[in-house]
Every structure is written in structure tokens, then in C-alpha cells.
Amino acid sequence: MSTRSPNPLYERIERRLTVMGLKAQRASLMAGLSTAYIKNIKEGKSGSPRSEQLASLAIVLGTSIEWL
């Protein structure tokens, strides 16, 4: 059992993926990012994602960077 606390950024991304009917890898590619981009956020490997990348992902997810 993991003791890692929930990642709020990943939780919001996951919520939008569900609403948009997208898989993480597909959304990443549509945003022009690596297929592992969202996975890295989920696993805490991306401590401080760049705003340009999040902005691209937000567009694909139909939301704003501020909400993410």
C-alpha cells in the first residue's frame, strides 16, 4: 500500500481525461508532448511541469491552465 499523498494536478488531469474520453498517452501526443508526460506527473517524476506544456495539455483537455 502506497503512503504517497494524492497529486492534485494529476487528479484534475485524470478527471478531464475521463470527461473527454481520452487515454493519457493519446492526450499527451495530441498536446505535442511525450507519451510519458502525464504518467510522469502521476508518478511524481515531473516535480514542476513547465507552463507551456501544461497550457498545451489544457487545450486538449478542454480546460484552462489555471484549473489544472
Side-chain angles (χ1 to χ4, degrees):
M1 182 170 185
S2 175
T3 59
R4 187 178 280 175
S5 62
N7 180 331
L9 173 59
Y10 177 72
E11 288 178 352
R12 289 187 295 272
I13 290 171
E14 187 176 47
R15 194 174 320 158
R16 291 304 303 165
L17 287 170
T18 300
V19 168
M20 301 298 290
L22 292 170
K23 300 284 185 194
Q25 288 182 333
R26 177 73 178 136
S28 293
L29 287 175
M30 290 172 67
L33 305 168
S34 75
T35 57
Y37 182 76
I38 295 173
K39 179 183 175 196
N40 288 340
I41 291 173
K42 177 182 181 180
E43 295 176 354
K45 293 179 181 177
S46 181
S48 181
R50 293 193 313 220
S51 60
E52 299 87 18
Q53 294 171 324
L54 285 177
S56 296
L57 185 60
I59 291 168
V60 169
L61 296 178
T63 192
S64 68
I65 191 171
E66 294 81 14
W67 186 83
L68 287 177

